Amino acid sequence: MADNPFFTVSDLPYQLPPFETIEDAHYRPAFERGMSEQRAEVEAIATNPDPPTFENTVVALERSGQTLQRVAAVFFNLASSDASPEIQAIQQEVSPALAAHSDAIHLDRRLFERVTALTNDDTSALDPESRRLLERLHLRFVRAGAALGDEQQARLREINEELSTLSTRFQNNLLADTNASAVVVDDPSQLDGLSDDAVAAAAQAASDRGLDGTYVLTLVLPSNQPALASLTDRDLRERLHRASVERGANGNEHDNGEIAARMVTLRAERAALLGYPDHATYVLEDSTAGSPGAVHDMLARLTPAAVANARAEAARLQEAVGDEIELRAWDWSFYSEQVQRATYDIDGAQLRPYFELERVLRDGVFYAASRLYGVTFTERTDLSGYHPEVRVFEVFDEDGTPLGLFLGDFFTRDSKRGGAWMNTFVDQSTLLGTKPVVVNNLNIPRPPDGEPALLTFDEVRTLFHEFGHSLHGLFSDVTYPTFSGTSVFRDFVEFPSQVNEMWAVHPEVLENYARHYRAGEPLPQEQVRRLLDSREWGQGFKTTEYLAASLLDLAWHETANGQHVDDVSGFEAAALQRAGVALDTIPPRYRTTYFAHIFDGDYSAGYYSYIWSEVLDADTVEWFEENGGLLRENGEHFRRTLLSRGGSVDPMVAFREFRGAQPRIEPLLKRRGLDGAD
Ligand SMILES: [Zn+2]
C-alpha cells in the first residue's frame, strides 16, 4: 500500500486532499499508520532525556499526528456527507480506536508531568499565543483525566470507547431511520399545495429508491418539515409530522432511545470520575458561559416571554383554522404560512424564483464578502471534490494573495446527514505552513437535471450562515493548528456565522442577488419590504422550539451519576413540563432520538450555544449599523479583531476589542420580540 494517498502530504494546491485517488480501502491502513506514527512521536516527546521546553514538548505535540489529521479530516467529512455501508463499517471500527488513541496521549503521566512543569515555570518569555497554548494544553490534560489514579483512568478509557461506539451507532441509526421513515405517497392529488419542483423532487426521490410512479417526501432535520407549510391534505401533514418526530423512536433495530439513555449515564459517570456533579457542569466549565447556572439564568430571561408569544401565535392560528378543527402540531406551519401571507401579503413560494442558488452564492454570499473583506473567488473546475456535486473555489485576498480553498456541497443526498455544517480539510497554521481548505455542506433539494435550484429564504440564510463559518476558517491567521479558525469555545463558534446572516437581508446585497432566474429582474422593493417585515411573524414558535431543545439537552446532562433513564420519552415530557416549554403544538426543535447535535456531535450540554452566540451576534449587527454597515473598513475591523484570531485569544477579550464594550442582551430581546415592545 505504498501508494496510499494519505501517507504523504498532498501535492495539490493548498494540500487539497487528492480525492480522485482516494478509495475506501485506503482508510483503515491510513488510520492505523496515522495512529502509530503519532504514538511514536508522542513516545519520543515523553521519553526525551532533555528537560522539558516549550519547543520540545508543546510545539512537538502540535506538530505530531499529521498523517492521522489528514485521513481523519477526509474520512469524517465523508461519513457525514456521503456515507456508504463500507464507510459506516469503518467508522464503527475506527471511532473507538481513535478515542483510545486520544486517551493514550492525554492520560500519559510522563507527558502531563512535562506540561505541568512548563506551566509552573516562568512563562513570561513566551508570546501571548504560545502562553495560551500551554495553558489550554495543561487544562486539556487535566480535563481528560491525566491527574487521576490508574483504576480511574482505566474506567475512563472504557467509558470513552463505549461513548464513541454509541455515538457512531446513533448517527448510523438516525440516517437509516430517516430514510426508512420517508413518507411514500401513491396518489399525486395528495400533494396538492406543493410547488411543481417540490413534486418533481418527490418523484425523483421515489425513482432513486426504485419506487417509480410514487412520490417520496424525504425527512430533514430538525422536527419541522418544510412541506408542512404548503400541503393542503391534513392527513398527509399528520403522517409527515409523525414520521419526523418519531424518528429514531420506532422500536425497530434503528431505535436510538436506549443508546441516548446509555450515553447520558456514561457521561454522568465520567463527570463524577473527574470530580464534577454532572456532565453539564463539566462541559460548561470550558465555555464562555462558565456554568449551567449561567445558562439557565440566560434561558430563563427568554423562556416566559417566548412561550407567551407562542401562545399568542397559536391563538391567531386557531382563528385561521376555525372552530371545527383543533389546531395540532402538523397544522402549525400550514396556517402560520397563511396568517403570514395575509398579514404581510407575502408568499414564500413566489419568492423562490428570485433566489437561484448560483446567483445567491456569487452575487450574494461572495459579493458581501468581497465588499466587506476585499476577497475574491475563482472557481477551480480543475480541482475535484469528494463527490461530483462538490464545487471548488479559490479565495484571494484584496492584494491577490492566495488565501485558501472553499468547497461547496449544496445538495441533499440519501448518503448525507441532515442539516448544514462546515468542515475543515486543512487547518491554517503558520507553524505548519498551511493555508485553510474548508467545506460547506447544505441540504438543498437537488432540482431535476437542467432545472435551476430555487431556494427558500431559509435556505438563502443558511447559505450565508455556513459561509460565515467558512470565513472564520479562511481568515484564520494563527501560529498553532490548535487555535485555527473555528477552534473556539462552542458557545462562541456560532457567533461569526450568525453575524454573516445579516448580509442576506442587507439592501445592497439583497438587491444584488435577488433577481429572477429567467429574466433577471430584481425582486420588487415592495416584496423586499414585506419579506423583511414578515420575519417578525413566528418568532414565538421559533424561539420556543429552540429553547425547548436547549432545555431538554440540559435536563439530560444534569442527570446525576448512577441514574439510568428507562423511559426516554417520559423523561423528555417531564423535562419539558418542568422547564415550562411543553406545548402540544410545538415539539422541541429536536427530540431525543434524533438530537444529533448532542448524541452524535460535540454539542452535549451545548445546544444553548446558538442563542448564547446570538447575543453577541445581535449586538454586532448593531455595531455594523451604527458604523455605516457594508463598508470595507468595518469588515477589516471585524476580521482583524475577531475572525482572524481563532482560539488564539480568549474569545470575550477579542469581542471586547472588536466592540469596545461588553455584549448587551437587549438587541437580541428586541430582535426576537421578547422585549415587551411591539
Ligand atoms: Zn452554524
Side-chain angles (χ1 to χ4, degrees):
M1 273 282 212
D3 57 350
N4 190 312
F6 292 113
F7 289 178
T8 50
V9 176
S10 163
D11 54 12
L12 291 174
Y14 303 89
Q15 302 185 12
L16 176 72
F19 294 114
E20 280 183 321
T21 59
I22 295 172
E23 292 163 20
D24 285 356
H26 294 135
Y27 292 117
R28 279 191 186 86
F31 272 117
E32 272 160 31
R33 179 182 291 204
M35 285 188 272
S36 75
E37 256 178 35
Q38 193 174 28
R39 269 197 305 276
E41 288 160 343
V42 163
E43 188 63 22
I45 299 167
T47 57
N48 189 335
D50 295 337
T53 64
F54 184 76
E55 203 58 41
N56 76 17
T57 302
V58 180
V59 175
L61 273 173
E62 279 290 286
R63 288 185 188 279
S64 73
Q66 288 184 39
T67 301
L68 183 57
Q69 171 62 30
R70 280 197 296 274
V71 60
V74 171
F75 180 80
F76 286 104
N77 177 72
L78 209 67
S80 290
S81 60
D82 196 19
S84 64
E86 172 65 1
I87 293 289
Q88 289 175 335
I90 298 171
Q91 189 182 4
Q92 197 94 50
E93 207 177 294
V94 115
S95 290
L98 286 173
H101 174 73
S102 170
D103 279 346
I105 298 171
H106 294 110
L107 300 180
D108 187 318
R109 287 215 178 71
R110 300 162 305 170
L111 272 184
F112 181 53
E113 272 164 29
R114 290 179 78 90
V115 173
T116 305
L118 289 170
T119 313
N120 295 335
D121 277 356
D122 176 13
T123 58
S124 58
L126 295 176
D127 63 89
E129 186 180 339
S130 298
R131 203 174 315 133
R132 183 169 166 81
L133 179 63
L134 175 58
E135 285 165 15
R136 298 286 309 159
L137 184 65
H138 185 255
L139 187 64
R140 203 201 302 165
F141 273 93
V142 172
R143 287 176 55 79
L148 297 182
D150 286 341
E151 233 170 84
Q152 290 169 308
Q153 282 198 352
R155 179 61 192 141
L156 204 59
R157 286 174 212 262
E158 283 172 10
I159 291 174
N160 288 341
E161 280 198 48
E162 188 177 347
L163 276 172
S164 84
T165 303
L166 291 171
S167 168
T168 306
R169 279 181 54 202
F170 188 98
Q171 180 185 12
N172 294 344
N173 282 345
L174 178 54
L175 187 62
D177 211 46
T178 298
N179 290 334
S181 304
V183 173
V184 182
V185 179
D186 296 320
D187 176 2
S189 71
Q190 281 197 299
L191 299 174
D192 180 53
L194 283 191
S195 66
D196 291 346
D197 56 318
V199 173
Q204 180 71 49
S207 120
D208 288 350
R209 287 152 197 251
L211 296 170
D212 290 281
T214 70
Y215 301 84
V216 169
L217 298 175
T218 54
L219 298 179
V220 296
L221 288 173
S223 298
N224 197 34
Q225 300 301 303
L228 292 175
S230 46
L231 285 171
T232 60
D233 187 310
R234 195 171 188 231
D235 291 337
L236 182 56
R237 288 206 305 266
E238 180 174 352
R239 273 177 73 200
L240 184 61
H241 174 80
R242 288 193 187 281
S244 173
V245 299
E246 284 160 15
R247 246 179 300 182
N250 286 309
N252 55 23
E253 75 272 30
H254 303 309
D255 196 288
N256 270 335
E258 174 53 28
I259 292 176
R262 176 74 183 151
M263 288 182 78
V264 165
T265 301
L266 288 169
R267 285 169 174 168
E269 185 189 345
R270 181 173 61 186
L273 272 174
L274 292 165
Y276 298 86
D278 52 53
H279 180 69
T281 307
Y282 166 68
V283 168
L284 289 165
E285 178 194 57
D286 200 34
S287 69
T288 69
S291 70
V295 176
H296 279 296
D297 284 350
M298 148 88 170
L299 298 182
R301 283 193 74 170
L302 310 176
T303 303
V307 171
N309 287 358
R311 290 195 196 284
E313 285 170 21
R316 281 195 64 187
L317 298 184
Q318 186 65 64
E319 255 172 61
V321 176
D323 293 340
E324 279 102 273
I325 300 172
E326 189 197 353
L327 180 78
R328 303 295 300 269
W330 46 90
D331 301 318
W332 189 290
S333 288
F334 184 74
Y335 291 101
S336 178
E337 183 92 352
Q338 289 196 350
V339 168
Q340 189 175 35
R341 211 178 300 164
T343 311
Y344 301 95
D345 192 18
I346 191 144
D347 179 355
Q350 279 179 13
L351 297 178
R352 295 182 56 226
Y354 294 91
F355 300 141
E356 193 264 313
L357 172 62
E358 200 61 23
R359 276 192 196 271
V360 177
L361 182 67
R362 288 180 187 273
D363 301 339
V365 173
F366 289 173
Y367 171 76
S370 297
R371 290 278 305 268
L372 287 162
Y373 309 109
V375 289
T376 54
F377 302 84
T378 305
E379 184 151 18
R380 292 285 303 260
T381 49
D382 58 318
L383 298 176
S384 304
Y386 50 87
H387 185 279
E389 285 172 353
V390 178
R391 317 262 304 268
V392 183
F393 297 88
E394 186 168 12
V395 189
F396 298 94
D397 230 326
E398 193 163 37
D399 63 0
T401 310
L403 252 185
L405 292 178
F406 166 72
L407 279 62
D409 184 358
F410 302 117
F411 296 131
T412 193
R413 298 187 277 275
D414 275 358
S415 59
K416 194 191 266 196
R417 73 170 167 86
W421 65 95
M422 171 266 201
N423 271 341
T424 303
F425 287 115
V426 181
D427 281 317
Q428 179 277 333
S429 156
T430 55
L431 178 76
L432 304 179
T434 47
K435 294 192 174 205
V437 178
V438 301
V439 58
N440 276 175
N441 263 282
L442 274 78
N443 267 288
I444 296 168
R446 186 163 55 84
D449 287 343
E451 298 288 317
L454 305 180
L455 312 188
T456 64
F457 187 67
D458 271 347
E459 288 164 344
V460 170
R461 224 183 31 220
T462 303
L463 203 61
F464 276 88
H465 175 100
E466 295 308 328
F467 195 71
H469 288 304
S470 284
L471 287 175
H472 204 186
L474 288 164
F475 288 156
S476 175
D477 186 14
V478 301
T479 305
Y480 303 110
T482 286
F483 293 142
S484 187
T486 54
S487 309
V488 293
F489 287 137
R490 231 177 20 187
D491 57 3
F492 193 77
V493 76
E494 294 302 326
F495 160 50
S497 53
Q498 289 175 345
V499 166
N500 206 53
E501 292 179 31
M502 79 179 281
W503 308 115
V505 294
H506 187 278
E508 288 169 58
V509 181
L510 191 63
E511 193 187 356
N512 201 57
Y513 76 81
R515 286 171 180 269
H516 198 283
Y517 75 96
R518 266 199 229 104
E521 74 270 20
L523 185 63
Q525 277 305 312
E526 189 49 30
Q527 294 262 37
V528 172
R529 195 187 55 72
R530 289 192 207 131
L531 172 69
L532 300 184
D533 286 351
S534 71
R535 292 186 311 154
E536 289 168 8
W537 171 253
Q539 287 300 326
F541 176 93
K542 283 190 195 122
T543 311
T544 300
E545 66 154 6
Y546 170 79
L547 291 173
S550 302
L551 290 159
L552 178 61
D553 167 28
L554 284 174
W556 277 117
H557 293 115
E558 287 178 313
T559 304
N561 183 29
Q563 289 181 17
H564 181 83
V565 173
D566 293 317
D567 176 8
V568 168
S569 70
F571 176 92
E572 184 177 303
L576 297 173
Q577 197 69 47
R578 247 192 343 267
V581 286
L583 277 74
D584 286 345
T585 45
I586 306 183
R589 208 172 142 73
Y590 292 91
R591 295 191 61 202
T592 305
T593 52
Y594 53 91
F595 207 156
H597 283 77
I598 66 170
F599 294 115
D600 141 41
D602 299 329
Y603 276 73
S604 60
Y607 195 65
Y608 78 95
S609 298
Y610 292 88
I611 211 150
W612 190 272
S613 296
E614 198 182 333
V615 173
L616 307 182
D617 156 35
D619 198 33
T620 299
V621 168
E622 269 207 3
W623 179 88
F624 271 99
E625 282 165 359
E626 286 161 11
N627 288 280
L630 186 73
L631 296 177
R632 181 73 183 84
E633 62 258 39
N634 289 346
E636 192 63 20
H637 178 63
F638 190 47
R639 175 174 172 180
R640 292 294 157 225
T641 52
L642 219 136
L643 293 177
S644 65
R645 305 174 88 176
S648 68
V649 291
D650 182 291
M652 294 315 291
V653 169
F655 182 86
R656 280 192 295 275
E657 280 177 37
F658 158 70
R659 185 62 167 113
Q662 295 278 10
R664 298 176 317 124
I665 195 172
E666 286 74 16
L668 170 84
L669 298 180
K670 197 169 137 216
R671 173 193 287 187
R672 289 199 172 238
L674 303 174
D675 56 351
D678 277 334

